[in-house]
Amino acid sequence: MTADHELTVDFAACDGHGLCAELLPERIGLDEWGYPVVRDPVVPGPLLAHARRAVAACPVLALRLRPADRGDREQLASDRTPSGRSAG
């Protein structure tokens, strides 16, 4: 089983080309100005190849993918609680 990865955007570098949303619509949408909105930063194993392709295609290298360690996954899960408060 492949470990989860975390997807992030460097908004200072992003020019809003939108390729990431085209290549990884399962995780990335676009706002009204064409900038990426990461709906879920956790990229599970089955989407990893698609996420890597999106990262490689970013013309300004603003999209990043890194392995998420267990603590990161737990924090990401608690950040998505309905109340918006940390579970811990």
Side-chain angles (χ1 to χ4, degrees):
M1 181 172 144
T2 305
D4 290 339
H5 284 66
E6 180 185 11
L7 194 63
T8 60
V9 178
D10 177 355
F11 288 102
C14 182
D15 285 341
H17 292 275
L19 288 174
C20 56
E22 289 182 34
L23 294 172
L24 193 61
E26 300 87 350
R27 291 293 184 260
I28 303 172
L30 297 177
D31 69 11
E32 62 191 83
W33 298 282
Y35 286 90
V37 175
V38 178
R39 290 181 263 230
D40 186 351
V42 176
V43 179
L47 290 177
L48 190 55
H50 297 289
R52 286 185 174 141
R53 188 175 73 184
V55 168
C58 180
V60 294
L61 305 176
L63 192 61
R64 311 267 168 77
L65 184 67
R66 69 177 180 93
D69 64 27
R70 184 174 177 196
D72 289 343
R73 285 194 301 272
E74 289 172 0
Q75 181 62 44
L76 289 169
S78 69
D79 288 347
R80 289 191 303 262
T81 59
S83 67
R85 285 179 256 174
S86 174

